[in-house]
């Protein structure tokens, strides 16, 4: 939703009155604590703003809620409509959507909103409260017979007698996903002995691919009407970076900062669909490769020595032997036999022989690992860090991992080839759990985390357990995020490139 003009904005404020009073009416709605709306009580303030389209949770030193009075007056005339709008925006924060990609596209925004709207309404139905018209906002704003906005709302007469024919003439791929999002029948997929609703199995990847195909079809037919993703992107609920205020509020740090203040309450909201899949959602390949930044490589080498090398900067060396192919037959015990066989068989004499060479390597701690953040918010930093790590592969610990919303192990050779897997999101929780799992058999005792800092906040119980195990996790920080040393980190070192990102 685009902000309204100034005169309309001021007139709406006069009619609505104080923003806090409007929010107070929402807190009287039945079931607000079940739906995490008591998170509003932790906000530092509520203000009217013509610099947001609908609503936005802004984080500076503490969370603040900004509301557009023109939108509230036009579309949220009943408290439950406003309550749904606020739940929608809080769900964006809870799911960390601004950290999923370096620059969120309209297609991604529509995909995120489709999942959030469906998951909120499914949760409300499960609580037996849809009769209170919690779906009034989305059914008013979005049409049931236009694509792709029909996936942002339930079908007419949902959930008792859903009219799936309302979208009969719309793209079949989107219709299938729409039915999976709002179908009330169990999926039949066993999950620990229980049945799981179909909407939980829908992934962002599926939604994004379907919406991309729809957008390409719309742009390719010569139709200049405002249909398609671009047409609906301007009418999405919540903050999607339509203004400078929204872009500042929805930077990657918004989710991390708000999670610290609202995390316990927001945990009641819907989970990321990737968390409901055993394979971590829809991972995709990142093809890496670029020029090495000498300044970044020097800083990274020093950090690896301090964090992972036995003896720190005054490193200790160990001599390793490895097999090679060579033209020198003197070290190959089978050289004489191979030559004799080749003469007897009338074939060419062998040219290469088995040999061995030695090399010095820094003596790393017995269990050491590097975790590289490959989430969407890292952007070009993934390429820069990968290029800087390649010349340092002699310094690399025996174990190398990349992480987003899960952790994936990589051999040094596979990493050098430059193809890694990512789910797009980012979360410190799987890293801490991975370290705890491998700390017991002493497979990992020290670790280095390379990230932009937008990794979220782990649950308090997990953080306490990690700290108690005394695992040394050092952080190499890139980008512009200011990150105070969290209790689970042994140290934080800022890494800078020779050219700004």
């Amino acid at each position: 939703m685009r902000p309204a003009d100034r005169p309309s904005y001021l007139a709406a404020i006069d009619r609505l009155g104080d923003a806090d009073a409007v929010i107070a009416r929402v807190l009287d709605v039945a079931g607000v604590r079940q739906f995490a709306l008591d998170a509003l009580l932790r906000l530092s303030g509520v203000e009217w703003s013509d610099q947001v389209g609908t609503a936005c949770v802004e984080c500076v030193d503490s969370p603040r809620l900004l509301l557009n009075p023109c939108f509230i007056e036009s579309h949220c005339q009943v408290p439950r409509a406003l309550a749904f709008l606020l739940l929608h925006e809080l769900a964006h924060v809870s799911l960390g959507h601004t950290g999923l990609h370096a620059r969120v596209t309209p297609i991604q925004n529509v995909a995120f909103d489709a999942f959030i709207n469906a998951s909120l309404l499914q949760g409300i139905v499960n609580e037996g409260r849809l009769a209170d018209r919690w779906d009034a906002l989305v059914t008013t704003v979005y049409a049931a017979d236009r694509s792709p906005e029909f996936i942002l709302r339930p079908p007419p007469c949902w959930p008792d007698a859903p009219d799936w024919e309302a979208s009969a003439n719309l793209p079949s791929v989107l219709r299938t996903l729409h039915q999976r999002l709002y179908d009330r029948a169990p999926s039949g997929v066993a999950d620990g002995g229980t049945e799981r609703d179909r909407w939980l199995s829908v992934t962002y990847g599926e939604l994004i691919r379907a919406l991309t195909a729809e957008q390409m079809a719309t742009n390719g037919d010569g139709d200049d009407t405002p249909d398609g993703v671009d047409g609906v992107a301007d009418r999405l609920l919540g903050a999607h970076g339509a203004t400078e205020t929204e872009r500042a509020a929805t930077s990657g740090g918004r989710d991390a900062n708000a999670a610290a203040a609202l995390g316990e309450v927001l945990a009641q909201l819907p989970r990321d669909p990737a968390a409901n899949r055993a394979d971590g959602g829809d991972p995709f390949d990142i093809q890496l490769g670029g020029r090495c930044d000498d300044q970044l490589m020097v800083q990274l080498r020093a950090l690896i020595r301090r964090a992972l090398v036995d003896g720190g900067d005054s490193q200790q060396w160990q001599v390793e032997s490895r097999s090679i192919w060579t033209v020198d037959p003197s070290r190959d015990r089978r050289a004489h036999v191979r030559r004799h066989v080749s003469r007897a068989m009338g074939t060419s004499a062998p040219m290469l022989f088995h040999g061995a060479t030695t090399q010095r390597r820094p003596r790393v701690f017995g269990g050491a690992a590097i975790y590289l953040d490959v989430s969407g918010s890292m952007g070009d930093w993934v390429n820069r860090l990968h290029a800087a790590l390649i010349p340092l592969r002699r310094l690399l610990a025996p174990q190398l991992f990349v992480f987003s919303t899960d952790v994936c192990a990589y051999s040094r050779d596979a990493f050098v080839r430059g193809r890694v897997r990512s789910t797009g999101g980012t979360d410190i929780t799987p890293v801490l759990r991975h370290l705890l799992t491998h700390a017991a058999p002493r497979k990992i005792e020290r670790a280095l985390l390379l990230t932009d800092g937008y990794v979220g906040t782990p649950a308090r119980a997990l953080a306490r357990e990690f700290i108690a195990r005394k695992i040394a996790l050092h952080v190499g920080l890139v980008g512009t995020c200011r990150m105070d040393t969290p209790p689970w980190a042994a140290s934080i070192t800022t890494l800078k490139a020779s050219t700004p990102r």
Side-chain angles (χ1 to χ4, degrees):
M1 301 292 176
R2 297 289 183 181
D5 59 87
R6 191 69 179 177
S8 300
Y9 164 76
L10 295 175
I13 291 178
D14 288 339
R15 289 188 291 269
L16 290 171
D18 184 63
D20 284 315
V22 174
I23 294 299
R25 293 197 292 271
V26 172
L27 296 175
D28 291 333
V29 172
V32 292
R33 293 192 178 275
Q34 290 171 290
F35 303 139
L37 276 173
D38 51 340
L40 298 174
L41 299 175
R42 303 193 181 191
L43 297 170
S44 65
V46 181
E47 297 180 14
W48 297 122
S49 174
D50 61 348
Q51 295 303 306
V52 299
T54 59
C56 177
V57 172
E58 179 191 49
C59 279
V60 188
D61 294 326
S62 54
R64 197 169 53 129
L65 175 65
L66 304 179
L67 297 172
N68 185 305
C70 296
F71 180 85
I72 303 303
E73 186 179 42
S74 299
H75 297 89
C76 302
Q77 298 175 354
V78 296
R80 288 181 187 86
L82 178 55
F84 187 89
L85 171 63
L86 299 179
L87 276 177
H88 179 101
E89 175 61 10
L90 291 173
H92 274 299
V93 179
S94 176
L95 295 175
H97 282 161
T98 60
L100 284 174
H101 300 275
R103 183 176 292 106
V104 182
T105 66
I107 286 176
Q108 291 161 352
N109 277 330
V110 173
F112 297 156
D113 276 25
F115 177 81
I116 283 179
N117 291 345
S119 59
L120 288 174
L121 290 172
Q122 291 279 14
I124 290 168
V125 169
N126 289 340
E127 294 292 335
R129 295 187 180 275
L130 193 66
D132 298 335
R133 295 294 295 151
W134 281 89
D135 61 343
L137 180 59
V138 291
T139 55
T140 300
V141 172
Y142 304 121
D145 57 355
R146 294 184 63 182
S147 180
E149 63 187 85
F150 76 98
I151 69 169
L152 294 164
R153 51 157 291 165
C157 304
W158 184 83
D160 296 327
D163 178 13
W164 300 109
E165 293 303 311
S167 59
N169 298 322
L170 303 181
S172 60
V173 175
L174 288 178
R175 292 190 70 215
T176 299
L177 289 173
H178 185 231
Q179 187 159 356
R180 287 171 58 193
L181 283 170
Y182 286 98
D183 195 352
R184 295 295 298 164
S187 65
V189 178
D191 184 9
T194 62
E195 294 294 318
R196 192 172 65 191
D197 287 339
R198 293 181 67 190
W199 68 274
L200 284 172
S201 67
V202 177
T203 69
Y204 294 143
E206 290 177 295
L207 288 166
I208 289 170
R209 284 192 293 272
L211 288 165
T212 300
E214 162 69 359
Q215 179 72 344
M216 291 177 64
T218 301
N219 290 342
D221 63 7
D223 188 358
D224 293 327
T225 61
D227 291 338
V229 173
D230 292 335
V232 75
D234 289 341
R235 296 185 289 113
L236 295 175
L237 305 178
H240 293 282
T243 67
E244 286 298 328
T245 298
E246 288 187 4
R247 283 190 285 274
T250 57
S251 64
R254 189 278 294 263
D255 298 326
N257 294 337
L262 309 176
E264 293 181 7
V265 177
L266 295 185
Q268 303 170 53
L269 287 174
R271 296 173 57 196
D272 191 315
N276 295 308
R277 291 171 56 94
D279 60 1
D282 258 5
F284 53 90
D285 289 330
I286 300 176
Q287 187 67 50
L288 302 176
R291 295 181 58 185
C292 179
D293 186 313
D294 291 338
Q295 178 179 329
L296 183 60
M297 184 183 67
V298 169
Q299 297 173 74
L300 198 51
R301 178 192 290 119
L303 176 57
I304 291 174
R305 285 175 176 170
R306 289 197 306 272
L308 304 179
V309 175
D310 193 3
D313 290 327
S314 57
Q315 60 193 33
Q316 302 177 19
W317 295 90
Q318 59 187 5
V319 178
E320 291 184 350
S321 177
R322 63 185 180 91
S323 298
I324 60 171
W325 287 97
T326 176
V327 295
D328 180 9
S330 62
R331 298 194 178 193
D332 191 341
R333 291 180 298 175
R334 298 177 300 169
H336 176 71
V337 174
R338 292 178 62 199
R339 284 177 168 174
H340 176 76
V341 171
S342 67
R343 286 195 298 268
M345 300 290 293
T347 60
S348 301
M351 297 182 61
L352 296 176
F353 303 90
H354 282 293
T357 187
T358 59
Q359 63 180 5
R360 292 199 313 161
R361 284 178 50 84
R363 186 183 301 278
V364 298
F365 284 92
I370 294 177
Y371 294 83
L372 174 63
D373 185 350
V374 293
S375 64
S377 65
M378 286 286 286
D380 188 49
W381 278 112
V382 177
N383 254 306
R384 293 188 179 211
L385 288 170
H386 176 264
L389 285 169
I390 298 305
L392 299 176
R393 58 185 180 272
R394 290 201 313 150
L395 281 169
L396 294 185
Q399 300 173 81
L400 180 63
F401 304 93
V402 296
F403 77 97
S404 45
T405 56
D406 55 11
V407 175
C408 184
Y410 274 85
S411 68
R412 279 175 287 171
D413 290 340
F415 185 74
V416 168
R417 288 195 295 271
R419 198 175 189 91
V420 301
R421 300 283 278 173
S422 174
T423 61
T426 181
D427 190 0
I428 191 61
T429 296
V431 175
L432 299 188
R433 287 178 176 162
H434 188 268
L435 283 166
L436 285 171
T437 300
H438 289 79
R442 302 182 69 82
K443 292 182 179 179
I444 300 178
E445 299 173 14
R446 289 193 172 210
L448 173 61
L449 185 78
L450 300 176
T451 179
D452 59 356
Y454 300 130
V455 294
T457 304
R460 291 183 180 179
L462 177 63
R464 284 196 297 267
E465 182 183 0
F466 185 82
I467 295 167
R469 297 286 283 276
K470 298 183 179 179
I471 303 170
L473 176 57
H474 300 269
V475 177
L477 189 65
V478 297
T480 58
C481 177
R482 292 185 302 172
M483 185 180 186
D484 296 329
T485 305
W488 47 263
S491 69
I492 291 184
T493 302
T494 301
L495 303 173
K496 295 182 179 179
S498 57
T499 55
R501 178 170 175 250

